[in-house]
Amino acid sequence: MNEAAGGSRGDQGDAGEQVDPSGRGDERRGTLSVVPTPIGNPRDITLRALDVLRTAGLVAAEDTRRARRLLDAHDIDVRVVSCYDHNEQARTAELISVLNAGTDVALISDAGTPLVNDPGYLVVGAALADGLRVDPLPGASAALSALVGSGLPANRFLYVGFLPRKSAARRTALTELAPLSATLIFFEAPHRVVEMLADVREVLGDRAAALVRNLTKSHEEWLRGPLSQVHADLAARDEVRGEITVVVEGIRRRESTNGGGVGAGSLDPDRVIELLLGAGLDTRTVRSLAGQLTGLARNEVYDRVSALRPR
């Protein structure tokens, strides 16, 4: 084992031979390494990631063309195969066979950490189920970079990813997130972000937020402030481009302790019920969620739902 693959000249056994840290000996199965790649700035790749890519027998990539550009930039010559949403299930069996034959495989996505809104879940799950070694490397992540640059609490957070594309389904998903005190992290497409921000503000209220566009690139842009301000800034533009991450403050704890319900006193009960009904939820679900969100007594929630329900 060479040093780039994880060995060290100082790792010597009693008899002087080099120790294999995997404990598998010479007749070993391959390791599946999950390798983060840059999200914008090409220099944001670790030395260890480059070592793993250089010594891998095979790279499984979301996009082989983008992978080849990255590998060529670092003079890495290795076989690359595709592994993306539409072929991951079929490709998984092939990769497990390669690993079992003793070949190390590096799994990469187009940008950032694989599996985080990218392919790779099936491959990792199958490798673990087969008793293979999975080695996740630390590295670039748009969600974490946006969180730590947002100015919002980072002690508790929830990565949500992309919300549903349709407004009604999006509002339903946001209603479920409304009671959480954790900071929320979203991804969104540039052509939907203005609509998305409007729904977030409508359902969650005018919370503190941060939006970052084109993270780590030379034209990176941050917008920080109340959701209304961030929304107004983007809505005034002729066009929004780039890769976008949105970070939104969770419900404040002092708002969630009034009256026994989550967020009690901070949400308009009738508006909450109207939004839930408008999302197409059945009345039983509406009563349950409205009670949790507003802290109203069960009989009062029942009366309000009955009064607001379309006839």
Side-chain angles (χ1 to χ4, degrees):
M1 178 179 290
N2 58 38
E3 290 184 325
S8 170
R9 295 182 181 178
D11 291 335
Q12 301 293 321
D14 291 340
E17 73 274 23
Q18 191 168 4
V19 174
D20 178 358
S22 69
R24 290 185 295 257
D26 292 334
E27 297 299 325
R28 70 176 185 90
R29 298 194 290 171
T31 294
L32 175 65
S33 296
V34 183
V35 184
T37 56
I39 59 177
N41 190 318
R43 294 176 61 83
D44 289 337
I45 187 164
T46 68
L47 296 175
R48 182 180 170 207
L50 292 175
D51 285 346
V52 169
L53 292 171
R54 286 193 182 98
T55 57
L58 181 69
V59 170
E62 184 178 5
D63 185 323
T64 56
R65 293 167 298 181
R66 295 185 66 167
R68 180 53 61 194
R69 286 197 294 271
L70 172 69
L71 296 169
D72 287 347
H74 296 282
D75 297 321
I76 297 174
D77 184 16
V78 61
R79 182 185 169 213
V80 181
V81 297
S82 65
C83 183
Y84 58 99
D85 289 334
H86 298 295
N87 79 341
E88 184 179 358
Q89 187 166 5
R91 184 68 79 192
T92 294
E94 300 173 17
L95 294 176
I96 297 303
S97 178
V98 168
L99 288 161
N100 275 315
T103 298
D104 291 334
V105 175
L107 177 69
I108 65 174
S109 61
D110 284 352
T113 302
L115 278 73
V116 181
N117 208 69
D118 281 324
Y121 172 77
L122 295 179
V123 180
V124 170
L128 291 173
D130 203 32
L132 290 157
R133 180 185 176 195
V134 174
D135 187 17
L137 277 65
S141 168
L144 291 179
S145 293
L147 174 66
V148 299
S150 68
L152 298 173
N155 57 323
R156 293 186 66 206
F157 61 90
L158 173 66
Y159 165 72
V160 181
F162 285 91
L163 288 165
R165 298 185 178 187
K166 301 287 188 177
S167 180
R170 189 161 56 226
R171 291 186 176 209
T172 299
L174 287 165
T175 300
E176 296 175 356
L177 297 171
L180 302 181
S181 60
T183 299
L184 306 173
I185 306 171
F186 304 94
F187 290 159
E188 191 50 275
H191 62 280
R192 286 197 303 268
V193 69
V194 173
E195 296 177 0
M196 175 263 200
L197 289 172
D199 283 343
V200 173
R201 181 193 175 192
E202 185 72 24
V203 177
L204 302 186
D206 200 11
R207 299 185 184 181
L211 180 148
V212 58
R213 192 173 63 87
N214 295 321
L215 258 170
T216 79
K217 297 180 180 178
S218 60
H219 46 293
E220 174 180 301
E221 179 187 22
W222 286 87
L223 300 175
R224 300 180 180 88
L227 277 165
S228 57
Q229 177 182 321
V230 175
H231 173 262
D233 190 313
L234 288 188
R237 304 183 184 188
D238 294 333
E239 184 180 20
V240 180
R241 294 183 179 182
E243 297 172 347
I244 294 172
T245 307
V246 179
V247 186
V248 179
E249 180 183 29
I251 195 167
R252 295 182 181 178
R253 293 187 180 277
R254 63 176 178 272
E255 295 173 352
S256 64
T257 56
N258 180 15
V262 176
S266 63
L267 300 174
D268 177 5
D270 289 345
R271 184 59 181 149
V272 169
I273 292 169
E274 288 171 354
L275 287 171
L276 293 172
L277 290 170
L281 300 176
D282 62 84
T283 53
R284 177 178 295 181
T285 302
V286 170
R287 292 183 190 120
S288 175
L289 287 173
Q292 295 177 54
L293 291 169
T294 65
L296 292 178
R298 182 178 299 180
N299 60 338
E300 187 172 356
V301 171
Y302 185 94
D303 292 341
R304 286 176 183 254
V305 173
S306 297
L308 295 169
R309 184 179 57 189
R311 302 298 179 184

